[in-house]
Amino acid sequence: MATNKRALVTGLTGFTGRYVEAELVAAGFEVYGIGERSSCLPRYTQVNLTDRSALHRVVAACQPDVVLHLAGVAFVVKADVDAFYQVNTLGTHNLLDAIATEAPKVGCVLLASSANIYGNSKQGVLDESTLPNPANDYAVSKLAMENMARLWFDRLPIIITRPFNYTGVGQSEAFLLPKIIGHFQRKASTIELGNCDVFLDFSDVRAVANAYRQLVEVRPIGKVINICSGKSHSLQEVVERVGKIAGYAIQVKVNPSFVRKNEVRSLLGSAELLRSIIGSWNIPPLNDTLEWMYHSPLP
């Protein structure tokens, strides 16, 4: 267990950041955070990743032992395409420059990329050797971030993670599983979705946060690592599972405007490398995650 170690977490006030903070604190880290939202959290600074001088000031003041870079623009239907590149790619460059300049003794920098870089790969189970085939600007911005980060491998102790889909209490209903859960919690009779025959690999945010914490402790520097469950489920199956939890069936209506032309239709990952690095890693079954979400209070 780490003691008196400082962790800097970007996107601390976001969905994933709160769970990562809990993991790090439990492991003995003193957690500092940055993000674009205002917050009353201790050791937190409101900073935009595009503000290079502000990033330098924060990193210099913090002097982190480890950095977990979770901040970024997520892939949602109406996202600003320019923001994908400005934040996910250039923002990460600004952060790495600040770390290299201001925190020369940092021991590990974990970058959260995305399994979306694999795109619509023909391969069944995707491991880290699968060639990227990004199908949208979000994925391209993340792959560009990865390629850019490799230029810093000789100067910074970097780990790149590729999380597949994950969910949990507190995730916005802009994402599919919280949207489905929310409709059942409100006892809605119908729900509008896009393509329900999409098969995705879903993990629990608590397991993802645990994996991140273990990785910054083990420090497999220079590795690219999938974070995934190794099981895929269709959205139709998710709707049926939540219906059993809620005790009723909901009518699904397909809204053509929700069907993305560049949608990834199947995404199933291999977690073999992750488990070989961190050893024991418990990930809740999807049903347990859905139960947890359904029985949590509505926001």
Side-chain angles (χ1 to χ4, degrees), residues 79-98:
D80 177 1
V81 170
D82 290 346
F84 289 146
Y85 298 98
Q86 292 167 355
V87 177
N88 296 348
T89 309
L90 296 177
T92 301
H93 179 277
N94 294 340
L95 177 66
L96 294 179
D97 181 63

PDB file of all heavy atoms in Angstrom, residues 79-98:
ATOM      1  N   ALA A  79     -21.699  15.690 -29.722  1.00  0.00           N
ATOM      2  CA  ALA A  79     -20.435  16.250 -29.251  1.00  0.00           C
ATOM      3  C   ALA A  79     -19.825  17.161 -30.318  1.00  0.00           C
ATOM      4  O   ALA A  79     -19.995  16.953 -31.510  1.00  0.00           O
ATOM      5  CB  ALA A  79     -19.468  15.134 -28.886  1.00  0.00           C
ATOM      6  N   ASP A  80     -19.098  18.174 -29.868  1.00  0.00           N
ATOM      7  CA  ASP A  80     -18.381  19.085 -30.744  1.00  0.00           C
ATOM      8  C   ASP A  80     -17.150  18.358 -31.278  1.00  0.00           C
ATOM      9  O   ASP A  80     -16.246  18.010 -30.513  1.00  0.00           O
ATOM     10  CB  ASP A  80     -18.003  20.327 -29.947  1.00  0.00           C
ATOM     11  CG  ASP A  80     -17.189  21.323 -30.760  1.00  0.00           C
ATOM     12  OD1 ASP A  80     -16.921  21.062 -31.949  1.00  0.00           O
ATOM     13  OD2 ASP A  80     -16.836  22.376 -30.198  1.00  0.00           O
ATOM     14  N   VAL A  81     -17.114  18.120 -32.583  1.00  0.00           N
ATOM     15  CA  VAL A  81     -16.007  17.365 -33.171  1.00  0.00           C
ATOM     16  C   VAL A  81     -14.673  18.040 -32.897  1.00  0.00           C
ATOM     17  O   VAL A  81     -13.678  17.379 -32.564  1.00  0.00           O
ATOM     18  CB  VAL A  81     -16.228  17.188 -34.688  1.00  0.00           C
ATOM     19  CG1 VAL A  81     -14.976  16.620 -35.348  1.00  0.00           C
ATOM     20  CG2 VAL A  81     -17.411  16.272 -34.946  1.00  0.00           C
ATOM     21  N   ASP A  82     -14.599  19.365 -33.010  1.00  0.00           N
ATOM     22  CA  ASP A  82     -13.341  20.066 -32.761  1.00  0.00           C
ATOM     23  C   ASP A  82     -12.830  19.808 -31.357  1.00  0.00           C
ATOM     24  O   ASP A  82     -11.619  19.702 -31.126  1.00  0.00           O
ATOM     25  CB  ASP A  82     -13.517  21.568 -32.967  1.00  0.00           C
ATOM     26  CG  ASP A  82     -13.709  21.947 -34.433  1.00  0.00           C
ATOM     27  OD1 ASP A  82     -13.442  21.084 -35.297  1.00  0.00           O
ATOM     28  OD2 ASP A  82     -14.130  23.081 -34.705  1.00  0.00           O
ATOM     29  N   ALA A  83     -13.763  19.696 -30.391  1.00  0.00           N
ATOM     30  CA  ALA A  83     -13.366  19.502 -28.999  1.00  0.00           C
ATOM     31  C   ALA A  83     -12.666  18.170 -28.790  1.00  0.00           C
ATOM     32  O   ALA A  83     -11.813  18.046 -27.903  1.00  0.00           O
ATOM     33  CB  ALA A  83     -14.588  19.600 -28.088  1.00  0.00           C
ATOM     34  N   PHE A  84     -13.031  17.161 -29.581  1.00  0.00           N
ATOM     35  CA  PHE A  84     -12.352  15.877 -29.464  1.00  0.00           C
ATOM     36  C   PHE A  84     -10.842  16.060 -29.610  1.00  0.00           C
ATOM     37  O   PHE A  84     -10.048  15.528 -28.831  1.00  0.00           O
ATOM     38  CB  PHE A  84     -12.830  14.894 -30.544  1.00  0.00           C
ATOM     39  CG  PHE A  84     -14.233  14.389 -30.354  1.00  0.00           C
ATOM     40  CD1 PHE A  84     -15.039  14.127 -31.452  1.00  0.00           C
ATOM     41  CD2 PHE A  84     -14.741  14.148 -29.097  1.00  0.00           C
ATOM     42  CE1 PHE A  84     -16.319  13.634 -31.303  1.00  0.00           C
ATOM     43  CE2 PHE A  84     -16.028  13.653 -28.926  1.00  0.00           C
ATOM     44  CZ  PHE A  84     -16.816  13.396 -30.037  1.00  0.00           C
ATOM     45  N   TYR A  85     -10.443  16.818 -30.626  1.00  0.00           N
ATOM     46  CA  TYR A  85      -9.020  16.996 -30.904  1.00  0.00           C
ATOM     47  C   TYR A  85      -8.387  18.026 -29.965  1.00  0.00           C
ATOM     48  O   TYR A  85      -7.263  17.840 -29.495  1.00  0.00           O
ATOM     49  CB  TYR A  85      -8.830  17.406 -32.364  1.00  0.00           C
ATOM     50  CG  TYR A  85      -9.330  16.344 -33.312  1.00  0.00           C
ATOM     51  CD1 TYR A  85     -10.592  16.435 -33.898  1.00  0.00           C
ATOM     52  CD2 TYR A  85      -8.563  15.212 -33.594  1.00  0.00           C
ATOM     53  CE1 TYR A  85     -11.070  15.449 -34.747  1.00  0.00           C
ATOM     54  CE2 TYR A  85      -9.029  14.219 -34.442  1.00  0.00           C
ATOM     55  CZ  TYR A  85     -10.289  14.344 -35.014  1.00  0.00           C
ATOM     56  OH  TYR A  85     -10.757  13.352 -35.849  1.00  0.00           O
ATOM     57  N   GLN A  86      -9.110  19.107 -29.677  1.00  0.00           N
ATOM     58  CA  GLN A  86      -8.560  20.153 -28.812  1.00  0.00           C
ATOM     59  C   GLN A  86      -8.299  19.641 -27.405  1.00  0.00           C
ATOM     60  O   GLN A  86      -7.284  19.980 -26.789  1.00  0.00           O
ATOM     61  CB  GLN A  86      -9.523  21.344 -28.774  1.00  0.00           C
ATOM     62  CG  GLN A  86      -9.622  22.094 -30.082  1.00  0.00           C
ATOM     63  CD  GLN A  86     -10.796  23.060 -30.117  1.00  0.00           C
ATOM     64  OE1 GLN A  86     -11.607  23.107 -29.189  1.00  0.00           O
ATOM     65  NE2 GLN A  86     -10.906  23.835 -31.179  1.00  0.00           N
ATOM     66  N   VAL A  87      -9.210  18.821 -26.888  1.00  0.00           N
ATOM     67  CA  VAL A  87      -9.090  18.339 -25.508  1.00  0.00           C
ATOM     68  C   VAL A  87      -8.393  16.989 -25.449  1.00  0.00           C
ATOM     69  O   VAL A  87      -7.400  16.810 -24.735  1.00  0.00           O
ATOM     70  CB  VAL A  87     -10.476  18.266 -24.834  1.00  0.00           C
ATOM     71  CG1 VAL A  87     -10.358  17.687 -23.428  1.00  0.00           C
ATOM     72  CG2 VAL A  87     -11.127  19.642 -24.797  1.00  0.00           C
ATOM     73  N   ASN A  88      -8.912  16.011 -26.201  1.00  0.00           N
ATOM     74  CA  ASN A  88      -8.375  14.658 -26.089  1.00  0.00           C
ATOM     75  C   ASN A  88      -6.943  14.526 -26.589  1.00  0.00           C
ATOM     76  O   ASN A  88      -6.152  13.777 -26.023  1.00  0.00           O
ATOM     77  CB  ASN A  88      -9.262  13.671 -26.854  1.00  0.00           C
ATOM     78  CG  ASN A  88     -10.661  13.571 -26.272  1.00  0.00           C
ATOM     79  OD1 ASN A  88     -10.926  14.057 -25.171  1.00  0.00           O
ATOM     80  ND2 ASN A  88     -11.568  12.954 -27.001  1.00  0.00           N
ATOM     81  N   THR A  89      -6.627  15.253 -27.659  1.00  0.00           N
ATOM     82  CA  THR A  89      -5.286  15.128 -28.230  1.00  0.00           C
ATOM     83  C   THR A  89      -4.367  16.265 -27.772  1.00  0.00           C
ATOM     84  O   THR A  89      -3.368  16.038 -27.092  1.00  0.00           O
ATOM     85  CB  THR A  89      -5.357  15.099 -29.766  1.00  0.00           C
ATOM     86  OG1 THR A  89      -6.310  14.103 -30.181  1.00  0.00           O
ATOM     87  CG2 THR A  89      -3.997  14.749 -30.361  1.00  0.00           C
ATOM     88  N   LEU A  90      -4.724  17.496 -28.115  1.00  0.00           N
ATOM     89  CA  LEU A  90      -3.858  18.623 -27.755  1.00  0.00           C
ATOM     90  C   LEU A  90      -3.834  18.858 -26.253  1.00  0.00           C
ATOM     91  O   LEU A  90      -2.792  19.219 -25.694  1.00  0.00           O
ATOM     92  CB  LEU A  90      -4.320  19.888 -28.492  1.00  0.00           C
ATOM     93  CG  LEU A  90      -4.196  19.835 -30.022  1.00  0.00           C
ATOM     94  CD1 LEU A  90      -4.749  21.114 -30.639  1.00  0.00           C
ATOM     95  CD2 LEU A  90      -2.751  19.608 -30.435  1.00  0.00           C
ATOM     96  N   GLY A  91      -4.971  18.641 -25.585  1.00  0.00           N
ATOM     97  CA  GLY A  91      -5.009  18.801 -24.132  1.00  0.00           C
ATOM     98  C   GLY A  91      -4.083  17.822 -23.440  1.00  0.00           C
ATOM     99  O   GLY A  91      -3.403  18.165 -22.461  1.00  0.00           O
ATOM    100  N   THR A  92      -4.036  16.592 -23.933  1.00  0.00           N
ATOM    101  CA  THR A  92      -3.120  15.603 -23.364  1.00  0.00           C
ATOM    102  C   THR A  92      -1.672  16.005 -23.610  1.00  0.00           C
ATOM    103  O   THR A  92      -0.803  15.837 -22.744  1.00  0.00           O
ATOM    104  CB  THR A  92      -3.394  14.210 -23.958  1.00  0.00           C
ATOM    105  OG1 THR A  92      -4.749  13.841 -23.672  1.00  0.00           O
ATOM    106  CG2 THR A  92      -2.457  13.166 -23.372  1.00  0.00           C
ATOM    107  N   HIS A  93      -1.388  16.544 -24.794  1.00  0.00           N
ATOM    108  CA  HIS A  93      -0.040  17.039 -25.079  1.00  0.00           C
ATOM    109  C   HIS A  93       0.356  18.112 -24.070  1.00  0.00           C
ATOM    110  O   HIS A  93       1.479  18.109 -23.534  1.00  0.00           O
ATOM    111  CB  HIS A  93       0.029  17.605 -26.500  1.00  0.00           C
ATOM    112  CG  HIS A  93       1.374  18.160 -26.860  1.00  0.00           C
ATOM    113  ND1 HIS A  93       1.767  19.434 -26.512  1.00  0.00           N
ATOM    114  CD2 HIS A  93       2.424  17.608 -27.517  1.00  0.00           C
ATOM    115  CE1 HIS A  93       2.991  19.652 -26.945  1.00  0.00           C
ATOM    116  NE2 HIS A  93       3.422  18.555 -27.564  1.00  0.00           N
ATOM    117  N   ASN A  94      -0.561  19.038 -23.808  1.00  0.00           N
ATOM    118  CA  ASN A  94      -0.274  20.108 -22.842  1.00  0.00           C
ATOM    119  C   ASN A  94       0.018  19.538 -21.459  1.00  0.00           C
ATOM    120  O   ASN A  94       0.926  20.008 -20.759  1.00  0.00           O
ATOM    121  CB  ASN A  94      -1.467  21.064 -22.757  1.00  0.00           C
ATOM    122  CG  ASN A  94      -1.696  21.836 -24.033  1.00  0.00           C
ATOM    123  OD1 ASN A  94      -0.792  21.970 -24.870  1.00  0.00           O
ATOM    124  ND2 ASN A  94      -2.906  22.347 -24.214  1.00  0.00           N
ATOM    125  N   LEU A  95      -0.753  18.521 -21.059  1.00  0.00           N
ATOM    126  CA  LEU A  95      -0.554  17.912 -19.747  1.00  0.00           C
ATOM    127  C   LEU A  95       0.808  17.222 -19.675  1.00  0.00           C
ATOM    128  O   LEU A  95       1.546  17.375 -18.684  1.00  0.00           O
ATOM    129  CB  LEU A  95      -1.667  16.905 -19.464  1.00  0.00           C
ATOM    130  CG  LEU A  95      -1.545  16.142 -18.145  1.00  0.00           C
ATOM    131  CD1 LEU A  95      -1.703  17.075 -16.954  1.00  0.00           C
ATOM    132  CD2 LEU A  95      -2.564  15.006 -18.085  1.00  0.00           C
ATOM    133  N   LEU A  96       1.155  16.450 -20.701  1.00  0.00           N
ATOM    134  CA  LEU A  96       2.439  15.748 -20.690  1.00  0.00           C
ATOM    135  C   LEU A  96       3.602  16.735 -20.658  1.00  0.00           C
ATOM    136  O   LEU A  96       4.608  16.496 -19.973  1.00  0.00           O
ATOM    137  CB  LEU A  96       2.551  14.832 -21.910  1.00  0.00           C
ATOM    138  CG  LEU A  96       1.564  13.658 -21.956  1.00  0.00           C
ATOM    139  CD1 LEU A  96       1.762  12.847 -23.234  1.00  0.00           C
ATOM    140  CD2 LEU A  96       1.710  12.760 -20.735  1.00  0.00           C
ATOM    141  N   ASP A  97       3.464  17.830 -21.368  1.00  0.00           N
ATOM    142  CA  ASP A  97       4.514  18.845 -21.357  1.00  0.00           C
ATOM    143  C   ASP A  97       4.675  19.437 -19.959  1.00  0.00           C
ATOM    144  O   ASP A  97       5.800  19.639 -19.481  1.00  0.00           O
ATOM    145  CB  ASP A  97       4.182  19.946 -22.369  1.00  0.00           C
ATOM    146  CG  ASP A  97       5.255  21.021 -22.423  1.00  0.00           C
ATOM    147  OD1 ASP A  97       6.391  20.705 -22.793  1.00  0.00           O
ATOM    148  OD2 ASP A  97       4.944  22.174 -22.065  1.00  0.00           O
ATOM    149  N   ALA A  98       3.543  19.671 -19.297  1.00  0.00           N
ATOM    150  CA  ALA A  98       3.598  20.224 -17.940  1.00  0.00           C
ATOM    151  C   ALA A  98       4.246  19.247 -16.974  1.00  0.00           C
ATOM    152  O   ALA A  98       5.053  19.631 -16.124  1.00  0.00           O
ATOM    153  CB  ALA A  98       2.184  20.580 -17.469  1.00  0.00           C
TER     154      ALA A  98
END
